Amino acid sequence: MEAFLMVAKTKSFSRSAELLNVVQSTVTVRIQQLERKLGKKLFIRKTRSVELTDHGKILLPYIERVMELIKEGEQATISYGRYSERLTIGGLYSVWNSAFYSIIQKYRQKYPQVAIRLMTNHSDEINLKIKDGLFDAGLVCIPPMDPAFETVPLYQETLELVKSPSLSLEKTMVSSKDLLSLPYIHLDWGPPFTEWFIQEVGQQELMGFSVDDAGTLLRALQLGEGIGFVLHQTVLEQIQNGTLERVPFYSNQPIPKRTIFLVYPKRKQHHPALQQWISYLLEEIKIFAY
DNA sequence: CCCAGTGTCGCCTGTTATAC
DNA sequence: GTATAACAGGCGACACTGGG
């Protein structure tokens, strides 16, 4: 698997061998064994380079997940003993960079014996990693359809249009129809937003500049590159200190709110730290949400 | 009788040399 | 740059032995 990943990455048997500290023929044999086992060619050998076949392309993400799982296992083994328990939670950028973070902060103070890893990712990726056992739980905006998951709606977030004060617009009030003619920076905020956006503005493909994470969007907005929708909670600080300002906005239908879900595997018994964290979170969220 | 230590055998994996 | 053949070394399975 190591050889497969390396050849897929470097597109060379020789280079892979060098990086893996083995000779080139070892890589050849390893790949051949894998190909023989699967009964499928994984690489197209060309005179100067190597390329993944369609079968190889299918296999690649699975091998990547397995290798990640092994790395995770190694890390857990090495660090075992320093903390009595550990939790790995996947979350959206907008979740960690909002007032919600105070819940994590309080949890850490209350349970210092639990080692915590907060991982930032997109909803789909988080759901996949929970399924693989890489994450214990996740905070996502797109809940998994899989019945093997437990999904609990936690709270709702509001989106608003903002820009840097350094960027001046001709209009003081912006409508959904105006977005196409403005330096609008697009981020897909999940299914309800997408549906609303298509109805109000048009296809997302019409957008000249789009990003796929809230961190990049925020940076672009702060640099005065354009206007964009961001979560109210995420930009509270920036609006207070004047690095960003709200743009008055109107549309036919109001911008849909975004629901954040707690997701974890459906099991009779969870490990104690996860059980405790879920109970703690559900208790704290009552205070947070109101 | 059980268990730990040791020796043997065969298989697997990696290396070197070389062909393509 | 990749594939193949011959070879070497390492490792696991198994059997045997001796001490507690």
Side-chain angles (χ1 to χ4, degrees):
Chain A
M1 288 192 287
E2 254 187 332
F4 174 80
L5 272 188
M6 199 60 93
V7 175
K9 197 171 145 191
T10 62
K11 299 187 191 301
S12 157
F13 279 59
S14 312
R15 179 83 187 116
S16 298
E18 214 173 289
L19 293 168
L20 292 169
N21 292 315
V22 293
V23 294
Q24 166 265 315
S25 58
T26 301
V27 176
T28 297
V29 175
R30 282 181 182 174
I31 299 298
Q32 279 176 343
Q33 283 171 339
L34 195 56
E35 288 179 326
R36 211 174 301 137
K37 189 179 171 190
L38 297 171
K40 305 284 178 199
K41 280 273 165 217
L42 299 172
F43 293 102
I44 303 160
R45 281 85 161 162
K46 296 182 175 175
T47 38
R48 285 276 155 187
S49 76
V50 171
E51 258 175 48
L52 278 171
T53 60
D54 287 344
H55 288 113
K57 283 176 194 163
I58 291 169
L59 184 65
L60 182 62
Y62 289 95
I63 303 260
E64 281 173 339
R65 280 160 69 189
V66 170
M67 295 308 277
E68 209 174 323
L69 203 54
I70 290 172
K71 219 193 292 170
E72 172 84 10
E74 285 173 349
Q75 276 183 1
T77 309
I78 291 165
S79 57
Y80 178 79
R82 292 182 63 183
Y83 295 93
S84 58
E85 294 177 88
R86 54 188 56 253
L87 272 179
T88 305
I89 314 291
L92 302 167
Y93 173 92
S94 58
V95 171
W96 303 142
N97 288 279
S98 72
F100 178 86
Y101 185 77
S102 62
I103 292 182
I104 302 289
Q105 198 182 10
K106 268 170 83 180
Y107 179 83
R108 287 191 59 217
Q109 284 164 3
K110 198 170 172 190
Y111 302 103
Q113 79 284 6
V114 181
I116 298 184
R117 278 214 303 165
L118 298 185
M119 309 297 280
T120 309
N121 233 317
H122 293 115
S123 293
D124 292 341
E125 200 63 28
I126 291 168
N127 295 334
L128 195 63
K129 291 196 170 175
I130 296 171
K131 197 172 182 182
D132 286 346
L134 285 167
F135 293 175
D136 294 303
L139 297 155
V140 301
C141 68
I142 308 169
M145 289 297 134
D146 197 328
F149 287 97
E150 202 73 67
T151 304
V152 186
L154 288 183
Y155 63 96
Q156 287 197 317
E157 298 174 319
T158 316
L159 285 158
E160 55 193 21
L161 195 63
V162 302
K163 70 171 185 69
S164 157
S166 65
L167 180 77
S168 50
L169 299 176
E170 282 174 22
K171 294 184 176 181
T172 45
M173 186 92 170
V174 171
S175 78
S176 50
K177 296 286 168 239
D178 296 331
L179 287 180
L180 282 172
S181 55
L182 290 170
Y184 169 68
I185 306 170
H186 186 70
L187 173 64
D188 188 347
W189 287 101
F193 176 81
T194 312
E195 211 172 290
W196 170 85
F197 190 86
I198 292 169
Q199 267 188 10
E200 289 283 334
V201 188
Q203 287 298 322
Q204 301 174 66
E205 285 67 31
L206 295 171
M207 298 301 118
F209 187 25
S210 51
V211 294
D212 84 334
D213 80 285
T216 312
L217 175 63
L218 214 54
R219 184 156 176 75
L221 291 173
Q222 280 175 324
L223 288 171
E225 286 195 63
I227 56 171
F229 290 107
V230 288
L231 294 166
H232 172 76
Q233 285 282 358
T234 316
V235 290
L236 273 178
E237 216 174 288
Q238 285 87 339
I239 286 178
Q240 262 167 20
N241 67 27
T243 51
L244 285 176
E245 61 185 25
R246 290 194 183 94
V247 178
F249 177 77
Y250 66 94
S251 51
N252 296 328
Q253 294 294 318
I255 310 169
K257 289 189 174 184
R258 193 166 86 141
T259 308
I260 296 298
F261 298 89
L262 165 66
V263 174
Y264 54 94
K266 201 178 266 179
R267 277 196 205 107
K268 275 189 184 162
Q269 190 100 39
H270 292 291
H271 67 81
L274 179 58
Q275 195 61 58
Q276 182 192 56
W277 189 75
I278 293 169
S279 315
Y280 173 85
L281 180 61
L282 296 180
E283 198 51 47
E284 285 293 316
I285 206 73
K286 286 182 195 164
I287 308 163
F288 176 76
Y290 294 104

